[in-house]
Amino acid sequence: MAQTEVHRARAERAGPPGRARPAPVPPGSAGGGRAARDLRTVKVLWHRETIRFSRNKLRIAMGMVTPLMFLLVLGTGLNSAMSEDSLRDFRAFLFPGVVLMSVQAPAIAVGASIVWDRRSGFLRQMLVAPVRRSAILVGTCLGGATSGAAYGVLVLLLGPVADVPYHPQLLLVLLQVVLVSFAFTALGVAAAVCIRRPETFQVAVSLCMLPLFFLSGAMFPVDGLPGWLGTVVRLNPLTYAVDALRRTMPGDGATAMGGGSVSPEWWGWTPPVLAETGLIAAFALLSLTIATRRFSRVE
């Protein structure tokens, strides 16, 4: 009796006569495989950051206050205090730095969201998902880059205030803004995976970003600086981001500084815009690599 029941169970599992049993599905092949899951993860996290950005109208408005203050108040004030021989229009010179400033804050805010996700437990839920952790970081960085680029577009619309005309060349500027925004986001994410406390993250990022901005040539020309200050400015990767934006902007007001060059020089050699853009891309890749290596450890 027992053997009869065993044979009957085997026959039911095998199915009707003449029909082959289906081949077992290999692990990871369901739903298009691991690569498809990673792509879906990147898309979902990018969509999450864009929704978070678009639904906070007050944050968008407040994020434009500081760039407008620098451009309209500081730029106009210093422009009236300078002679025409030293600078044609300080607002045009300051404009690329204002664009960089507008991109910086929302991109770094993505790193802060990772710190809060870790505290709330949401990050741990993502880490147990069957996807690569690098996909989580790439999706987050793309979302932060999109938010930062949106701020950059809003500031670029103010170009005529700084004598920067609307021109098809602004499309190249926009591509540079997206790259710089991605670099900022990758830097913020790298800090976020190393710092666990939100309060510590805010202080550390502020202490890091403020010197980087003021030593990037956004406020003053970088050529001819004395001693150690000139060396620090030339080693700052944001120096080349500001200079690439300034040299790509349509019009010549941004580079009119007493007829001289405002670009960084190494032993009399000025790197071209393409090289500066490649340097920013390398900086973004390095930051993302560091973040991925640290993030790959067990939380």
Side-chain angles (χ1 to χ4, degrees):
M1 178 67 68
Q3 292 181 354
T4 303
E5 294 294 335
V6 170
H7 288 303
R8 183 181 301 172
R10 289 179 178 177
E12 290 177 354
R13 286 197 300 266
R19 179 181 299 179
R21 295 181 59 187
V25 179
S29 63
R34 188 173 184 179
R37 291 198 302 268
D38 291 340
L39 289 177
R40 285 196 298 269
T41 301
V42 170
K43 179 182 178 181
V44 168
L45 292 176
W46 169 82
H47 190 54
R48 177 189 180 221
E49 295 299 331
T50 55
I51 291 177
R52 179 182 296 176
F53 165 77
S54 60
R55 290 186 176 179
N56 197 339
K57 302 297 189 299
L58 180 60
R59 177 183 172 185
I60 297 175
M62 295 300 296
M64 294 294 297
V65 172
T66 302
L68 287 175
M69 291 289 290
F70 267 79
L71 183 62
L72 300 179
V73 179
L74 181 63
T76 303
L78 292 180
N79 186 63
S80 62
M82 290 184 175
S83 62
E84 294 183 0
D85 294 335
S86 61
L87 186 63
R88 181 183 303 175
D89 191 348
F90 187 75
R91 287 172 301 186
F93 177 81
L94 188 64
F95 188 68
V98 172
V99 175
L100 186 71
M101 180 189 304
S102 66
V103 167
Q104 169 184 319
I108 295 298
V110 175
S113 69
I114 292 180
V115 179
W116 285 107
D117 286 342
R118 178 189 285 117
R119 169 166 289 191
S120 65
F122 180 75
L123 182 62
R124 185 174 298 276
Q125 297 178 10
M126 289 193 295
L127 293 178
V128 299
V131 294
R132 293 184 180 91
R133 297 189 175 185
S134 59
I136 298 176
L137 292 185
V138 170
T140 304
C141 288
L142 289 178
T146 303
S147 302
Y151 276 95
V153 170
L154 294 176
V155 176
L156 287 176
L157 293 176
L158 301 175
V161 177
D163 293 335
V164 176
Y166 294 138
H167 191 275
Q169 195 171 345
L170 286 176
L171 295 176
L172 296 178
V173 177
L174 181 58
L175 293 178
Q176 292 175 340
V177 168
V178 173
L179 178 60
V180 173
S181 180
F182 185 86
F184 273 130
T185 308
L187 181 62
V189 168
V193 297
C194 299
I195 302 174
R196 295 179 176 271
R197 287 188 171 184
E199 302 82 3
T200 307
F201 176 82
Q202 296 291 346
V203 174
V205 169
S206 298
L207 290 177
C208 177
M209 295 308 303
L210 193 60
L212 286 177
F213 175 75
F214 279 104
L215 294 175
S216 64
M219 307 293 295
F220 50 83
V222 299
D223 62 324
L225 292 176
W228 64 271
L229 183 59
T231 302
V232 171
V233 170
R234 290 176 180 85
L235 292 176
N236 183 3
L238 298 189
T239 301
Y240 304 94
V242 174
D243 187 63
L245 289 173
R246 181 172 288 134
R247 293 163 66 181
T248 311
M249 291 282 181
D252 57 353
T255 56
M257 175 65 78
S261 174
V262 296
S263 302
E265 295 183 356
W266 288 94
W267 299 285
W269 176 72
T270 301
V273 175
L274 187 60
E276 293 177 329
T277 305
L279 181 62
I280 298 304
F283 174 72
L285 182 60
L286 177 63
S287 301
L288 185 60
T289 302
I290 294 175
T292 302
R293 287 180 177 273
R294 179 64 180 84
F295 200 57
S296 297
R297 301 177 184 178
V298 178
E299 292 285 334

